[in-house]
Amino acid sequence: PFQYYSALALDAAQWAVLARNSSWQQLRMNLNTFARHGVFEDPAMVAEVAAKLRDPQQIARSRVLPYQLLMAYHAGAALPRPILDALQDAMEVATAAVPVLQGKVVVAVDVSGSMHWANSSKSDVLAVDSAGLFAGVLGSRAEDADIVWFGTRSGLVNYRKTDSPLEIKKA
């Protein structure tokens, strides 16, 4: 329960010990807390946390969902770049179990105004971001895919199969 620790007067070194000893999911869920308490001012801790976040065995053991990684990525926009890169690497591991889709696949993503609301009252992630994540994962796991966005207009999404689903943007 990190709320308990937040109430204590811990220094950055003590917060670093908490980060080092946290489970993979606890680490993912508390990245901003660790940043706020100075853990990432130490480049060695940035590297250690990034290594833990991209560890394939810990990712598999945590059973993290792509949406949880999307939320962490969005919430952590001010985190050091190596940590954001590690979240992208974790996404690749987390989505590797999605089966490869055979033949031509077209994924259509609604980007109309109604999709620009948050998924829930407790989330900053928009419905359109979740839809983009879903499209990006399917597109990256298809032999031949097009991602199309539509609203009052439509168009193709410019992406490469090697792009992270966290970074799929409409063209």
Side-chain angles (χ1 to χ4, degrees):
F2 279 84
Q3 296 88 347
Y4 170 78
Y5 296 118
S6 294
L8 300 175
L10 303 178
D11 63 21
Q14 292 167 316
W15 277 101
V17 170
L18 288 172
R20 190 173 287 118
N21 293 320
S22 65
S23 71
W24 193 93
Q25 285 284 27
Q26 289 171 328
L27 182 63
R28 175 195 59 84
M29 292 170 57
N30 289 286
L31 290 170
N32 284 324
T33 301
F34 294 130
R36 205 171 37 255
H37 291 283
V39 172
F40 301 138
E41 292 173 18
D42 177 2
M45 276 307 296
V46 170
E48 187 174 331
V49 167
K52 188 172 186 175
L53 287 172
R54 65 170 43 98
D55 182 313
Q57 288 142 345
Q58 290 193 50
I59 295 165
R61 192 171 31 253
S62 75
R63 303 175 103 190
V64 66
L65 300 172
Y67 179 75
Q68 293 169 314
L69 289 166
L70 176 68
M71 290 188 336
Y73 190 81
H74 275 264
L79 293 171
R81 188 77 235 171
I83 292 175
L84 294 175
D85 292 344
L87 288 171
Q88 288 186 10
D89 293 346
M91 178 65 78
E92 297 305 315
V93 174
T95 60
V98 174
V100 174
L101 304 174
Q102 306 296 314
K104 181 68 175 175
V105 174
V106 177
V107 183
V109 180
D110 181 359
V111 297
S112 66
S114 64
M115 294 293 285
H116 293 331
W117 290 91
N119 282 332
S120 73
S121 62
K122 296 179 181 180
S123 173
D124 290 333
V125 177
L126 304 180
V128 70
D129 295 328
S130 297
L133 172 66
F134 183 77
V137 169
L138 288 180
S140 69
R141 300 296 294 165
E143 288 180 343
D144 182 17
D146 285 329
I147 300 175
V148 179
W149 60 270
F150 67 92
T152 56
R153 298 175 300 132
S154 64
L156 279 173
V157 174
N158 183 18
Y159 82 104
R160 297 179 314 263
K161 290 177 72 66
T162 57
D163 287 344
S164 168
L166 294 173
E167 295 292 330
I168 300 294
K169 305 283 185 216
K170 81 178 186 184

